[in-house]
Amino acid sequence: MGPEEAVVNPHLQVPLQEAARWSFWVGGLGHSSIIGAACLFLAAILLWAFDKRRPGLGTWGARLFTVGCVAFWVAFGALLTLFLTQQFHFNYVFSHNAADHELPYRIAGVWSAQEGSILLWACMSAIFCAWAARGTGPYRRLYTIVSSAVLLGLACILIFESPFVVRPPVMGGIFNPGDGLGMPAPLLNYWVVIHPPIIFIGFGMCAVLFAYAFAALLKKDLNDWLPRVRSWAIAATTFVGVGLALGGFWAYEMLGWGGFWMWDPVENASLVVWVACAAFLHGIFVQIAKSKWHYTNALLGALPFLTFCFGTFMTRSGFLGDTSVHSFAEMDSNALWILITILVGGTGGFLAVWGWRQFKTPPRMLASPLVAKTQGLAKDGYYAAAIWLLLAFGIVSGFGMSVPLIMSLTGQAPRVVEEPLYHQVVAWLFPPLMIGMAMGPFISWRGMGLKALFVRFNLILAVTVGMTGVFLLYLQSSTARVLPDHTATLPAPGGFQIPLVPWIVFLTALCLFTIIANIWRMAQLFPRAKGSLGGLLTHVGVAMALLGLIVSRGLERKDIISVMKLDTERVMEYGMVHLGVESPPGEEPFLNRHTKVLFEILQPNGTSFIARPGLYYEMNNRTGQLSPVVWPYVHHGFLYDLYITAHPMVWELTEPTSFGVGQSRVFENYRLTFHGLESEGDPGAAGTRFFANLTVEGSSGQPIDIRPGIELGSGGGIRHIDVRINDMIEARLDRISVETDEVYVMLLSVDEIFPIEFYYKPLTGFVWLGVGLMAVGGFMGTWYRRRGKASQRDLTEPTPPTPEPIPDPSEDRAAEDDHASAPTAKS
Amino acid sequence: MKFGGPIAIFVTIFGLGAMMFAFLVNSSPYVSVAEARELDANNLHIAGDIIRETVFVDIRNNQVRFTMVDKAGDRLNVVFDGPPPSNMGEATEVVAIGGMEGDSFRAHRMQLKCPSKYESVTAESGV
């Protein structure tokens, strides 16, 4: 069959084109690159393994490792090419791309599903493992072996979960269908372009941390690796944290339920990784300052990567099934076993070496966060508490996510942990975490008493109380319009109910305490210890984001109204006027993705704005039916958001209700009486009509006779013949029951009705601001702690040995200065 | 303090154990229609297929009513308080979350899944 002979795709009604020959070369290049990468990593492992016996092999190992990392990106480039040029004869492209997808979505389609996201993970891990390798110094050999093993595993997964599989031949040839199924509507949002790459940058850096930690253990040198890995740890924590937040923003702007976080297993899987990164980061500070916790930090360094593998297993293995709103396809069984091997082998191998090394190590080297040997409160004790709390938070989140798996493995009926239960449990960890974030920066390395600590805090506490008072005034202000429900309660452990508003105020006070304390400390340290500012700013950002989440979710107000076409309704203290529909010119309204329903929102202060929630209908190629898609409209303000979702239009005012002959029913202030059925035409033939004779008595008192009907169409379909009762209401004969001689009649609205969900969400802007501050703080920390000029250093030489371990001099000097001149109530 | 470390370990293990126990005991169960009729709870999860012809959006009461069939073939009338989820038109599977009220199941939340095998974000409503 020649290329000029177009074959019509009977399903999509699009002429098929013969698949471009070059595309098979590209697909083959992509798949071969993955196989090649696997071979290269295996070779790198062997060469580095034998480098001790034959020096020089390692140099080749390093080169092959780098080429292997490049090979992943070649595969990515190949897949991207197939997406951009829309080669729909590739299964993955067909399933996640469409002819009408704009350029950003063609790019994002690459990582929008199983295979592509694994490839993204591999590429990010590869690039950062290669980048970090330059600065590994004496760890280079073992670091490269470990990272090659990780990347080898990912390559093997991709061999079985390949995005380069071609669709089956059609009529003896392979044809490009011309169009694909495209990404699901909720993914057609700009966040799909931003969120996955950002968070996978973080996940990729976790592989660096793991490789470093394992290499340090194997090399029996747990000192030198930490200054090398510190910047990577800060960067990984920042990118994973920001990526998590971006996922929350995506849910907020896309899903229409007004929230950021649902404790969904996919969300929890990323949260656990972030928490593990944060725990490791805190351990790094202590080891660098006090030269302790060597083995603990090795374990903490490996934790982010291992928890990510576990989370990937949980979310992609199919165990979660119905318990997650993110319905991932199940992995190929071979790929799943490889992932399990990475997880079990990596965890088991690491723990075996970790345990063996500790067994061989003198006890004096085994100081751990279990014991903080100082007088009074000391910074290492604070960091120990912080690590314990973070790990507890991660364990709790990870355990909750794993409940369906635990139930499955123990043969019990599936169960799932819901959001309120998470809140009840996690709330126990919140106060100590926030207090720790607030007080920790003020605690000295050398130890201090409670009285001395309090002296540093009395003004901060006073300011916090004042700001909490401001917050209370804000809650009660009629201008702010928060209007909290003072009768609302929250479920608490033991079946108790706690009042919502005081609980929100308490949590807010904790967040304010943390924010004020860290800003205070930043002001104290600014001239002398700029390197510490990044971490403090991150604390401010975390507390501010949590404050925004707590208040916007805890004190949100919600109302549901129905707005008829071109009508006006009141919702809360706002007016809502339907103005019409906005759609690109030349396009059928509601059939285009950019269709907006326009409402004028009249605000209490006399101003107004136009809300444009999205609502359109798209053809589902599988079912052949139109399906509605909604996109909420968010009116952003710093002190509050107005969140408006226009749900699919309805016309039905009542359910279809049965009538026997002579029966009357009352609904919508109308009495309908059914007198009998009439027909026109041959029974059962196309074009036959059935009419229900009805009398309608309305509020006017004058009865009117109507005859709504049904017309039989060809192929078994029917057409409703609706009858207007007045300007606003129609009657419909929905169906006829031959067995019972009954008809089913319903009332419809003449004009479409828009169900509107309207949220008032206070202080949502704090979430955005907090995440921004977290990101800035993280980047500041990474920049100040980076290892300069690594490329100029001989990579085989260790860094110069540090002198006797001493605390960070700038922080301690500041602490001592602060102790001497601590702000008091008198000053 | 001499016993600070062991105390910290004990408190941590006890606390974590209590949290895990709370999760296991209070987590929401997936049940069948027959089991739901026997249980008095408000956090039951029932998974099943929507009978599309029975879906009705009650605009006056802000409810959606439909009938679903679980894997055992038992039918259940569901009343969901809220506007219709955006992908209800194409969804075939639903997880209704709530409890029995008389003969009907009162759902305060629904999870709907699109009839596809690839990665998709489902509608989560009523939160």
Side-chain angles (χ1 to χ4, degrees), chain A residues 142-478:
Chain A
L142 293 166
Y143 168 89
T144 311
I145 290 174
V146 174
S147 51
S148 295
V150 168
L151 295 172
L152 171 63
L154 293 178
C156 291
I157 290 174
L158 283 166
I159 290 171
F160 292 100
E161 284 279 351
S162 173
F164 299 105
V165 174
V166 178
R167 289 170 59 77
V170 174
M171 287 177 281
I174 296 179
F175 295 91
N176 186 335
D179 199 356
L181 299 176
M183 287 194 286
L187 296 187
L188 291 174
N189 178 280
Y190 64 94
W191 286 115
V192 75
V193 184
I194 302 170
H195 162 64
I198 295 292
I199 202 166
F200 272 96
I201 286 174
F203 293 148
M205 291 179 179
C206 291
V208 173
L209 308 184
F210 176 74
Y212 252 120
F214 212 160
L217 266 183
L218 291 169
K219 192 172 167 34
K220 290 182 279 188
D221 178 0
L222 293 174
N223 285 304
D224 196 39
W225 74 293
L226 226 52
R228 298 170 184 271
V229 83
R230 178 166 52 180
S231 290
W232 289 104
I234 297 172
T237 309
T238 304
F239 275 99
V240 174
V242 171
L244 262 177
L246 296 183
F249 294 153
W250 188 357
Y252 180 66
E253 292 193 357
M254 192 64 222
L255 295 183
W257 55 273
F260 289 91
W261 187 266
M262 264 297 295
W263 297 101
D264 184 84
V266 170
E267 297 168 332
N268 284 7
S270 303
L271 176 66
V272 172
V273 176
W274 180 63
V275 166
C277 287
F280 177 44
L281 202 50
H282 287 77
I284 288 175
F285 299 144
V286 174
Q287 184 172 335
I288 287 178
K290 297 285 253 182
S291 192
K292 54 201 279 190
W293 299 0
H294 298 75
Y295 285 96
T296 301
N297 282 322
L299 181 62
L300 292 176
L303 211 51
F305 175 76
L306 295 175
T307 53
F308 179 63
C309 289
F310 177 71
T312 303
F313 164 74
M314 283 293 299
T315 54
R316 296 173 189 255
S317 60
F319 274 108
L320 293 178
D322 291 327
T323 63
S324 172
V325 295
H326 298 81
S327 52
F328 284 81
E330 293 182 24
M331 285 180 82
D332 171 88
S333 58
N334 293 310
L336 185 61
W337 277 111
I338 295 171
L339 178 63
I340 292 171
T341 303
I342 295 174
L343 175 61
V344 174
T347 305
F350 184 88
L351 289 176
V353 174
W354 185 75
W356 179 249
R357 290 284 187 247
Q358 290 199 84
F359 180 70
K360 291 287 197 179
T361 302
R364 62 179 175 81
M365 286 285 291
L366 291 177
S368 77
L370 296 177
V371 180
K373 294 179 179 175
T374 50
Q375 292 295 326
L377 294 169
K379 207 161 195 120
D380 49 353
Y382 150 73
Y383 277 118
I387 289 170
W388 275 117
L389 286 169
L390 287 168
L391 290 179
F393 184 62
I395 291 171
V396 165
S397 304
F399 186 82
M401 165 180 86
S402 307
V403 164
L405 173 63
I406 294 169
M407 291 293 151
S408 174
L409 291 176
T410 55
Q412 299 181 61
R415 300 179 76 93
V416 64
V417 179
E418 301 264 35
E419 183 190 19
L421 182 56
Y422 272 111
H423 290 170
Q424 286 182 44
V425 172
V426 168
W428 291 93
L429 298 170
F430 186 82
L433 272 170
M434 300 309 287
I435 292 171
M437 270 205 289
M439 297 174 67
F442 291 88
I443 299 175
S444 164
W445 286 105
R446 295 202 171 92
M448 59 199 308
L450 271 176
K451 186 178 176 184
L453 187 63
F454 180 72
V455 164
R456 298 184 173 202
F457 274 96
N458 52 8
L459 260 187
I460 296 172
L461 285 171
V463 174
T464 301
V465 171
M467 291 306 294
T468 306
V470 169
F471 176 69
L472 285 168
L473 287 173
Y474 162 74
L475 289 185
Q476 299 303 320
S477 163
S478 57

Side-chain angles (χ1 to χ4, degrees), chain A residues 96 112 184 321-322 325 327-329 370 396 414-416 418 553 560 562 620 622 627-628 647 654-655 668, chain B residues 5 19 23 27-28 30 45 56 59-60 62 65 83-84 86 90 109 111 113 117-120 122 124 127:
Chain A
H96 308 295
S112 67
D322 291 327
V325 295
S327 52
F328 284 81
L370 296 177
V396 165
R415 300 179 76 93
V416 64
E418 301 264 35
R553 186 88 170 109
I560 301 173
S562 303
N620 185 306
R622 291 182 180 83
S627 306
H647 287 275
T654 67
E655 282 186 276
E668 292 296 318
Chain B
M19 291 178 185
F23 274 155
S27 53
S28 305
Y30 274 74
H45 287 58
F56 174 70
I59 200 69
R60 291 286 187 255
N62 287 317
R65 293 195 281 274
S86 61
E90 67 172 345
R109 202 155 61 89
Q111 289 182 7
K113 291 200 173 169
K117 281 290 186 183
Y118 57 84
E119 175 182 326
S120 65
T122 64
E124 180 87 22
V127 185

Side-chain angles (χ1 to χ4, degrees), chain A residues 504-547:
Chain A
I504 297 289
V505 173
F506 169 67
L507 295 178
T508 302
L510 285 175
C511 294
L512 288 171
F513 179 50
T514 306
I515 292 168
I516 294 164
N518 279 272
I519 291 175
W520 198 290
R521 191 60 173 153
M522 287 172 67
Q524 290 176 335
L525 291 178
F526 175 71
R528 298 171 292 204
K530 292 193 178 70
S532 303
L533 297 181
L536 299 173
L537 189 62
T538 301
H539 285 173
V540 173
V542 169
M544 188 167 290
L546 286 172
L547 189 156

